[in-house]
Amino acid sequence: MPLWLQARCGLEPRNVVALTALLVLAAVLAAQHFWTGRTESVRAPEAVRAVVPYGGRGESGQAASGTSAAPPGVGASPGPGIVVDVSGKVRHPGIRRLPAGSRVADALRAAGGVRPGVETDGLNRARFLVDGEQVVVGGPAQAAGAPAGSAAGGAVGPGAAGAPATPVSLNTATADQLETLPGVGPVLAQHIVDYRTRHGGFRSVDQLREVTGIGDRRFADLRPLVRP
């Protein structure tokens, strides 16, 4: 500053230096505030699509959008597991927990496989299993048309232990007594009761063939075990 201005304002040199430094600092802060508060252009975010693995295509041959295709042979969401009882002539009989959708072959594999020399001709290894069923290997062949509750002679219902000692009366037997017959479950027993109710009873054993669910083979098995 000129000496005449300093003398007129009564400022000393050190005051002038301090005032100058303060003005410079204020200018720097103002410039920084202006720079940080300036407006900037903002770009809209781009849409991102999920990547489908190579070869992962839907049934129509086009890649699925937003989800990746499951590997071949694997379901989209596996259901809960099932519990089955594998008994008979297997290496390790017992209770087995299997994934839902398992087949009889999976149950046999979980039990260590069938013992050597055991006949499995009457065993449908491709049949799907249901929760709580029993798979018996090496038992007597299951009657044709019997409910699919077991494999290879697996017992289903109270009558699976064996045929009744005396012929069962078709006209007087209860549904529970009819279920003691081989291959007769609750549904078929109720069909027999309904038939005799509608027709006033059985006049001969041959009328049993007219009951819904009884074919020629089952009738041949039941004929010596029942009477009118």
Side-chain angles (χ1 to χ4, degrees), residues 9 16 28 35 68 80 83 90 108 115 117 125 130 154 180 205 213 215:
C9 298
V16 173
V28 171
W35 179 259
S68 60
V83 179
V90 292
L108 298 181
R115 294 180 183 176
R125 300 190 180 192
V130 296
T180 61
V205 177

Side-chain angles (χ1 to χ4, degrees), residues 26-105:
V28 171
L29 293 178
Q32 182 181 7
H33 178 73
F34 173 79
W35 179 259
T36 56
R38 75 186 188 281
T39 58
E40 296 182 0
S41 59
V42 179
R43 297 173 57 186
E46 297 181 357
V48 179
R49 295 182 179 180
V51 179
V52 179
Y54 176 76
R57 296 181 178 273
E59 296 181 356
S60 61
Q62 298 180 351
S65 173
T67 57
S68 60
V74 179
S77 56
I82 60 175
V83 179
V84 297
D85 181 11
V86 186
S87 59
K89 298 180 181 180
V90 292
R91 297 182 185 275
H92 306 292
I95 303 297
R96 297 287 180 252
R97 183 178 297 275
L98 302 172
S102 298
R103 301 175 185 263
V104 173

Side-chain angles (χ1 to χ4, degrees), residues 175-202:
D176 293 338
Q177 292 172 337
L178 292 172
E179 289 180 30
T180 61
L181 297 170
V184 178
V187 176
L188 185 55
Q190 188 60 43
H191 286 338
I192 296 174
V193 173
D194 294 341
Y195 179 89
R196 77 185 182 194
T197 301
R198 292 194 306 267
H199 296 81
F202 290 85

Side-chain angles (χ1 to χ4, degrees), residues 121-165:
D121 294 340
L123 180 62
N124 183 7
R125 300 190 180 192
R127 181 175 59 81
F128 285 102
L129 296 170
V130 296
D131 185 47
E133 83 165 84
Q134 183 184 31
V135 179
V136 182
V137 180
Q142 188 175 2
S150 62
V156 181

